[in-house]
Amino acid sequence: MRWLDRPIVLVGLMGVGKSTVGKRLAGDLGIDFIDADEEIEKAAQMSIAEIFEKFGEPYFRDGERRVISRLIDGTPRVIATGGGAFMNDETRTLILGGAIAIWLNADLQTLVDRVSRRNTRPLLRNGDPAEVLARLADVRNPIYAQAQLHVRSKDGPHNRTVLSILEALTQWHS
Ligand code: S3P
């Protein structure tokens, strides 16, 4: 996609596959992939769970905003964001102004199945993941919907989602 003149930012709930899909999408497009959560961990020299524990969520959100603003510099790359990044007004404005935001969305059950594979997410440690995700979906989906493109991630191989994104991008551009 020669016309691509800015980053692609994947937004959506935990477990939807932003990192896996993002990596493959970047590979297909021949551009770099960056995981914003990993950048935050590198900068803080700590895991996200430790940042939440030691400094609290607002501190994490501030780091998240700074990392994302550094990554949106006009260079075409694929950026996977943590599920809450797009909820921050400043971060969302940055993304919508300087990148193409893609909302990856999936059924609640698909998300629940996928998050059950890892126990590293602080927001899912207290309480039933299905309930937490359902609550987050109610609050966040209307905001994710502000993304320029919406793509559904079905239960199945992530490659299918990558293809849907490529189609959505081509359609959006034409
Ligand atoms: C969060 C999602 C996580 C991570 C943090 C908070 C959220 O990222 O940023 O635990 O608020 O939804 P993933 O969406 O990559 O799991």
PDB file of all heavy atoms in Angstrom, residues 12-15 18 37 48 52 60-61 64 81-84 118 121-123 140, ligand 1:
ATOM      1  N   GLY A  12      -9.145  -1.684  20.640  1.00  0.00           N
ATOM      2  CA  GLY A  12     -10.160  -2.695  20.936  1.00  0.00           C
ATOM      3  C   GLY A  12      -9.865  -3.358  22.265  1.00  0.00           C
ATOM      4  O   GLY A  12      -8.799  -3.147  22.856  1.00  0.00           O
ATOM      5  N   LEU A  13     -10.810  -4.151  22.701  1.00  0.00           N
ATOM      6  CA  LEU A  13     -10.717  -4.740  24.042  1.00  0.00           C
ATOM      7  C   LEU A  13      -9.582  -5.754  24.177  1.00  0.00           C
ATOM      8  O   LEU A  13      -9.112  -6.322  23.190  1.00  0.00           O
ATOM      9  CB  LEU A  13     -12.034  -5.444  24.386  1.00  0.00           C
ATOM     10  CG  LEU A  13     -13.192  -4.547  24.823  1.00  0.00           C
ATOM     11  CD1 LEU A  13     -14.449  -5.411  25.011  1.00  0.00           C
ATOM     12  CD2 LEU A  13     -12.885  -3.808  26.122  1.00  0.00           C
ATOM     13  N   MET A  14      -9.219  -5.997  25.413  1.00  0.00           N
ATOM     14  CA  MET A  14      -8.229  -7.025  25.739  1.00  0.00           C
ATOM     15  C   MET A  14      -8.663  -8.353  25.121  1.00  0.00           C
ATOM     16  O   MET A  14      -9.839  -8.713  25.176  1.00  0.00           O
ATOM     17  CB  MET A  14      -8.160  -7.234  27.262  1.00  0.00           C
ATOM     18  CG  MET A  14      -7.583  -6.057  28.001  1.00  0.00           C
ATOM     19  SD  MET A  14      -7.641  -6.297  29.793  1.00  0.00           S
ATOM     20  CE  MET A  14      -9.213  -5.545  30.202  1.00  0.00           C
ATOM     21  N   GLY A  15      -7.707  -9.064  24.545  1.00  0.00           N
ATOM     22  CA  GLY A  15      -7.999 -10.399  24.028  1.00  0.00           C
ATOM     23  C   GLY A  15      -8.458 -10.418  22.585  1.00  0.00           C
ATOM     24  O   GLY A  15      -8.614 -11.486  22.001  1.00  0.00           O
ATOM     25  N   LYS A  18      -4.986  -7.691  19.128  1.00  0.00           N
ATOM     26  CA  LYS A  18      -4.326  -6.518  18.524  1.00  0.00           C
ATOM     27  C   LYS A  18      -2.839  -6.778  18.234  1.00  0.00           C
ATOM     28  O   LYS A  18      -2.337  -6.412  17.184  1.00  0.00           O
ATOM     29  CB  LYS A  18      -4.476  -5.286  19.449  1.00  0.00           C
ATOM     30  CG  LYS A  18      -5.936  -4.884  19.699  1.00  0.00           C
ATOM     31  CD  LYS A  18      -6.037  -3.714  20.672  1.00  0.00           C
ATOM     32  CE  LYS A  18      -5.575  -3.985  22.066  1.00  0.00           C
ATOM     33  NZ  LYS A  18      -6.470  -4.679  22.964  1.00  0.00           N
ATOM     34  N   ASP A  37       2.186  -1.348  24.609  1.00  0.00           N
ATOM     35  CA  ASP A  37       2.350  -1.874  25.971  1.00  0.00           C
ATOM     36  C   ASP A  37       3.800  -2.293  26.235  1.00  0.00           C
ATOM     37  O   ASP A  37       4.345  -2.036  27.305  1.00  0.00           O
ATOM     38  CB  ASP A  37       1.431  -3.078  26.210  1.00  0.00           C
ATOM     39  CG  ASP A  37       0.011  -2.672  26.579  1.00  0.00           C
ATOM     40  OD1 ASP A  37      -0.216  -1.480  26.839  1.00  0.00           O
ATOM     41  OD2 ASP A  37      -0.870  -3.547  26.614  1.00  0.00           O
ATOM     42  N   ILE A  48       3.551  -4.364  33.098  1.00  0.00           N
ATOM     43  CA  ILE A  48       2.359  -3.521  33.275  1.00  0.00           C
ATOM     44  C   ILE A  48       1.717  -3.805  34.627  1.00  0.00           C
ATOM     45  O   ILE A  48       1.299  -2.878  35.336  1.00  0.00           O
ATOM     46  CB  ILE A  48       1.391  -3.747  32.108  1.00  0.00           C
ATOM     47  CG1 ILE A  48       2.046  -3.128  30.879  1.00  0.00           C
ATOM     48  CG2 ILE A  48       0.025  -3.131  32.378  1.00  0.00           C
ATOM     49  CD1 ILE A  48       1.302  -3.133  29.636  1.00  0.00           C
ATOM     50  N   PHE A  52       0.955  -0.929  37.490  1.00  0.00           N
ATOM     51  CA  PHE A  52      -0.349  -0.723  38.118  1.00  0.00           C
ATOM     52  C   PHE A  52      -0.224  -0.835  39.638  1.00  0.00           C
ATOM     53  O   PHE A  52      -0.790  -0.038  40.388  1.00  0.00           O
ATOM     54  CB  PHE A  52      -1.353  -1.776  37.628  1.00  0.00           C
ATOM     55  CG  PHE A  52      -2.197  -1.346  36.447  1.00  0.00           C
ATOM     56  CD1 PHE A  52      -1.633  -1.228  35.183  1.00  0.00           C
ATOM     57  CD2 PHE A  52      -3.551  -1.082  36.588  1.00  0.00           C
ATOM     58  CE1 PHE A  52      -2.401  -0.851  34.081  1.00  0.00           C
ATOM     59  CE2 PHE A  52      -4.343  -0.702  35.504  1.00  0.00           C
ATOM     60  CZ  PHE A  52      -3.756  -0.596  34.239  1.00  0.00           C
ATOM     61  N   PHE A  60       0.100   4.855  34.767  1.00  0.00           N
ATOM     62  CA  PHE A  60       0.226   4.023  33.559  1.00  0.00           C
ATOM     63  C   PHE A  60      -0.378   4.742  32.344  1.00  0.00           C
ATOM     64  O   PHE A  60       0.208   4.780  31.267  1.00  0.00           O
ATOM     65  CB  PHE A  60      -0.468   2.673  33.780  1.00  0.00           C
ATOM     66  CG  PHE A  60      -0.602   1.867  32.525  1.00  0.00           C
ATOM     67  CD1 PHE A  60       0.490   1.211  31.977  1.00  0.00           C
ATOM     68  CD2 PHE A  60      -1.830   1.762  31.877  1.00  0.00           C
ATOM     69  CE1 PHE A  60       0.374   0.469  30.795  1.00  0.00           C
ATOM     70  CE2 PHE A  60      -1.961   1.030  30.709  1.00  0.00           C
ATOM     71  CZ  PHE A  60      -0.853   0.384  30.169  1.00  0.00           C
ATOM     72  N   ARG A  61      -1.557   5.342  32.541  1.00  0.00           N
ATOM     73  CA  ARG A  61      -2.235   6.015  31.423  1.00  0.00           C
ATOM     74  C   ARG A  61      -1.410   7.180  30.902  1.00  0.00           C
ATOM     75  O   ARG A  61      -1.403   7.473  29.709  1.00  0.00           O
ATOM     76  CB  ARG A  61      -3.627   6.508  31.838  1.00  0.00           C
ATOM     77  CG  ARG A  61      -4.589   5.407  32.225  1.00  0.00           C
ATOM     78  CD  ARG A  61      -4.892   4.468  31.097  1.00  0.00           C
ATOM     79  NE  ARG A  61      -5.704   3.322  31.519  1.00  0.00           N
ATOM     80  CZ  ARG A  61      -5.777   2.192  30.846  1.00  0.00           C
ATOM     81  NH1 ARG A  61      -5.124   2.038  29.709  1.00  0.00           N
ATOM     82  NH2 ARG A  61      -6.518   1.201  31.282  1.00  0.00           N
ATOM     83  N   GLU A  64       1.357   5.778  28.876  1.00  0.00           N
ATOM     84  CA  GLU A  64       0.753   5.273  27.643  1.00  0.00           C
ATOM     85  C   GLU A  64       0.557   6.426  26.640  1.00  0.00           C
ATOM     86  O   GLU A  64       0.898   6.321  25.472  1.00  0.00           O
ATOM     87  CB  GLU A  64      -0.596   4.657  28.032  1.00  0.00           C
ATOM     88  CG  GLU A  64      -1.337   3.950  26.953  1.00  0.00           C
ATOM     89  CD  GLU A  64      -2.534   3.174  27.536  1.00  0.00           C
ATOM     90  OE1 GLU A  64      -3.366   3.774  28.249  1.00  0.00           O
ATOM     91  OE2 GLU A  64      -2.637   1.964  27.263  1.00  0.00           O
ATOM     92  N   THR A  81      -2.268  -0.949  20.477  1.00  0.00           N
ATOM     93  CA  THR A  81      -2.394  -0.223  21.745  1.00  0.00           C
ATOM     94  C   THR A  81      -3.031  -1.132  22.793  1.00  0.00           C
ATOM     95  O   THR A  81      -3.739  -2.082  22.453  1.00  0.00           O
ATOM     96  CB  THR A  81      -3.296   1.022  21.575  1.00  0.00           C
ATOM     97  OG1 THR A  81      -4.592   0.593  21.125  1.00  0.00           O
ATOM     98  CG2 THR A  81      -2.703   1.995  20.581  1.00  0.00           C
ATOM     99  N   GLY A  82      -2.810  -0.827  24.051  1.00  0.00           N
ATOM    100  CA  GLY A  82      -3.523  -1.508  25.123  1.00  0.00           C
ATOM    101  C   GLY A  82      -4.991  -1.097  25.063  1.00  0.00           C
ATOM    102  O   GLY A  82      -5.313  -0.003  24.582  1.00  0.00           O
ATOM    103  N   GLY A  83      -5.868  -1.972  25.540  1.00  0.00           N
ATOM    104  CA  GLY A  83      -7.307  -1.749  25.405  1.00  0.00           C
ATOM    105  C   GLY A  83      -7.846  -0.430  25.940  1.00  0.00           C
ATOM    106  O   GLY A  83      -8.888   0.044  25.490  1.00  0.00           O
ATOM    107  N   GLY A  84      -7.145   0.178  26.904  1.00  0.00           N
ATOM    108  CA  GLY A  84      -7.669   1.410  27.495  1.00  0.00           C
ATOM    109  C   GLY A  84      -7.132   2.679  26.866  1.00  0.00           C
ATOM    110  O   GLY A  84      -7.624   3.785  27.141  1.00  0.00           O
ATOM    111  N   ARG A 118      -3.738 -16.026  29.320  1.00  0.00           N
ATOM    112  CA  ARG A 118      -2.670 -15.307  30.035  1.00  0.00           C
ATOM    113  C   ARG A 118      -3.239 -14.680  31.290  1.00  0.00           C
ATOM    114  O   ARG A 118      -4.375 -14.215  31.297  1.00  0.00           O
ATOM    115  CB  ARG A 118      -2.155 -14.155  29.154  1.00  0.00           C
ATOM    116  CG  ARG A 118      -1.021 -14.532  28.267  1.00  0.00           C
ATOM    117  CD  ARG A 118      -0.201 -13.313  27.897  1.00  0.00           C
ATOM    118  NE  ARG A 118      -0.895 -12.372  27.024  1.00  0.00           N
ATOM    119  CZ  ARG A 118      -0.836 -11.062  27.173  1.00  0.00           C
ATOM    120  NH1 ARG A 118      -0.132 -10.530  28.152  1.00  0.00           N
ATOM    121  NH2 ARG A 118      -1.469 -10.249  26.345  1.00  0.00           N
ATOM    122  N   ARG A 121      -2.915  -9.561  32.971  1.00  0.00           N
ATOM    123  CA  ARG A 121      -3.632  -8.294  32.829  1.00  0.00           C
ATOM    124  C   ARG A 121      -4.235  -7.853  34.165  1.00  0.00           C
ATOM    125  O   ARG A 121      -5.152  -8.501  34.673  1.00  0.00           O
ATOM    126  CB  ARG A 121      -4.729  -8.448  31.782  1.00  0.00           C
ATOM    127  CG  ARG A 121      -4.187  -8.707  30.382  1.00  0.00           C
ATOM    128  CD  ARG A 121      -5.337  -8.869  29.412  1.00  0.00           C
ATOM    129  NE  ARG A 121      -4.907  -8.856  28.024  1.00  0.00           N
ATOM    130  CZ  ARG A 121      -4.757  -9.950  27.287  1.00  0.00           C
ATOM    131  NH1 ARG A 121      -4.969 -11.136  27.791  1.00  0.00           N
ATOM    132  NH2 ARG A 121      -4.396  -9.846  26.023  1.00  0.00           N
ATOM    133  N   PRO A 122      -3.751  -6.731  34.685  1.00  0.00           N
ATOM    134  CA  PRO A 122      -4.203  -6.328  36.023  1.00  0.00           C
ATOM    135  C   PRO A 122      -5.710  -6.129  36.130  1.00  0.00           C
ATOM    136  O   PRO A 122      -6.310  -6.445  37.162  1.00  0.00           O
ATOM    137  CB  PRO A 122      -3.456  -5.014  36.287  1.00  0.00           C
ATOM    138  CG  PRO A 122      -2.804  -4.619  35.013  1.00  0.00           C
ATOM    139  CD  PRO A 122      -2.724  -5.817  34.141  1.00  0.00           C
ATOM    140  N   LEU A 123      -6.348  -5.625  35.064  1.00  0.00           N
ATOM    141  CA  LEU A 123      -7.785  -5.338  35.163  1.00  0.00           C
ATOM    142  C   LEU A 123      -8.630  -6.614  35.240  1.00  0.00           C
ATOM    143  O   LEU A 123      -9.799  -6.569  35.614  1.00  0.00           O
ATOM    144  CB  LEU A 123      -8.257  -4.497  33.977  1.00  0.00           C
ATOM    145  CG  LEU A 123      -7.652  -3.100  33.850  1.00  0.00           C
ATOM    146  CD1 LEU A 123      -8.251  -2.367  32.666  1.00  0.00           C
ATOM    147  CD2 LEU A 123      -7.881  -2.282  35.126  1.00  0.00           C
ATOM    148  N   ARG A 140     -16.833   1.030  26.654  1.00  0.00           N
ATOM    149  CA  ARG A 140     -15.816   1.391  25.661  1.00  0.00           C
ATOM    150  C   ARG A 140     -16.267   1.283  24.205  1.00  0.00           C
ATOM    151  O   ARG A 140     -15.758   2.025  23.362  1.00  0.00           O
ATOM    152  CB  ARG A 140     -14.580   0.498  25.851  1.00  0.00           C
ATOM    153  CG  ARG A 140     -13.841   0.811  27.133  1.00  0.00           C
ATOM    154  CD  ARG A 140     -12.652  -0.109  27.285  1.00  0.00           C
ATOM    155  NE  ARG A 140     -11.833   0.244  28.444  1.00  0.00           N
ATOM    156  CZ  ARG A 140     -10.717  -0.385  28.759  1.00  0.00           C
ATOM    157  NH1 ARG A 140     -10.292  -1.389  28.023  1.00  0.00           N
ATOM    158  NH2 ARG A 140     -10.021  -0.005  29.812  1.00  0.00           N
TER     159      ARG A 140
HETATM  160  C1  S3P B   1      -5.727  -2.589  29.437  1.00  0.00           C
HETATM  161  C2  S3P B   1      -5.332  -3.456  28.441  1.00  0.00           C
HETATM  162  C3  S3P B   1      -3.992  -4.080  28.410  1.00  0.00           C
HETATM  163  C4  S3P B   1      -2.979  -3.209  29.144  1.00  0.00           C
HETATM  164  C5  S3P B   1      -3.485  -2.880  30.524  1.00  0.00           C
HETATM  165  C6  S3P B   1      -4.827  -2.175  30.530  1.00  0.00           C
HETATM  166  C7  S3P B   1      -7.110  -2.015  29.379  1.00  0.00           C
HETATM  167  O1  S3P B   1      -3.575  -4.267  27.067  1.00  0.00           O
HETATM  168  O2  S3P B   1      -2.724  -2.023  28.441  1.00  0.00           O
HETATM  169  O3  S3P B   1      -3.534  -4.090  31.224  1.00  0.00           O
HETATM  170  O4  S3P B   1      -7.368  -1.011  30.058  1.00  0.00           O
HETATM  171  O5  S3P B   1      -7.941  -2.551  28.625  1.00  0.00           O
HETATM  172  P1  S3P B   1      -4.216  -5.369  26.059  1.00  0.00           P
HETATM  173  O6  S3P B   1      -5.472  -4.772  25.473  1.00  0.00           O
HETATM  174  O7  S3P B   1      -3.148  -5.520  25.019  1.00  0.00           O
HETATM  175  O8  S3P B   1      -4.444  -6.588  26.843  1.00  0.00           O
END
